Amino acid sequence: MSLLLFSGAAFAQKGLNCYPVFRGKVIPERQMVMTEVRGDGMATYKLDYYRSVRFHVDSLTARKVAAMVEADAVAADSAETEKTGELLTYGLIQLKPFGIMRRYLCYQARETEFKGWMITIIYLEGSATLQDLRSMFEKQ
């Protein structure tokens, strides 16, 4: 059963414009911090699957990644986004559901003192609502 859940989560991400980022096709995997969680421990958050990537990039790559996330936001059911100048710096995106599973993409880009950007992208699946996610993020 776990294999089927994993396959479903991986398949659900394939339709995203930012999917290549999660696969290490834009930023090499060795330069990213990747986290993937599934199972009973996620039930408290009304989530079944959590996957995140975090990485430091130059401005050109930051714009490339931001454009991918913006394309996902345009195709989404709803999206809250913010920009600093031309660059997307925040996104809370409710993607189209995968079956009955709600899906979200969270994005943050912060300028660093090392002439670049620290970017975090999180993909979530579960029964959580946008309000559940907002409440969860406010606590952290």
Side-chain angles (χ1 to χ4, degrees), residues 21-92:
V21 177
F22 285 97
R23 299 285 299 152
K25 304 294 183 193
V26 178
I27 294 89
E29 286 185 12
R30 68 182 181 282
Q31 294 177 11
M32 293 192 292
V33 175
M34 296 189 288
T35 305
E36 190 171 20
V37 182
R38 68 176 45 85
D40 294 337
M42 301 294 296
T44 303
Y45 305 105
K46 299 181 185 176
L47 295 171
D48 298 314
Y49 184 67
Y50 170 103
R51 186 173 187 188
S52 71
V53 291
R54 188 182 65 189
F55 46 87
H56 183 265
V57 292
D58 59 29
S59 294
L60 181 64
T61 307
R63 285 193 299 272
K64 180 179 180 179
V65 171
M68 293 173 161
V69 173
E70 285 183 284
D72 288 325
V74 168
D77 281 353
S78 70
E80 300 170 14
T81 61
E82 293 177 14
K83 287 186 172 188
T84 299
E86 296 287 317
L87 185 70
L88 180 70
T89 53
Y90 167 83
L92 179 56

Side-chain angles (χ1 to χ4, degrees), residues 91-124:
L92 179 56
I93 303 162
Q94 184 172 3
L95 303 164
K96 296 195 181 303
F98 183 72
I100 60 167
M101 191 72 58
R102 290 184 177 136
R103 304 180 315 136
Y104 302 95
L105 195 61
C106 307
Y107 170 88
Q108 183 180 53
R110 291 187 181 182
E111 196 165 13
T112 68
E113 59 190 59
F114 305 109
K115 296 184 180 180
W117 293 86
M118 181 60 69
I119 295 179
T120 303
I121 306 174
I122 304 171
Y123 173 84
L124 304 165

Side-chain angles (χ1 to χ4, degrees), residues 7 27 85 99 106-107 131-132 134:
S7 297
I27 294 89
C106 307
Y107 170 88
Q131 187 56 42
D132 292 331
R134 284 188 194 104

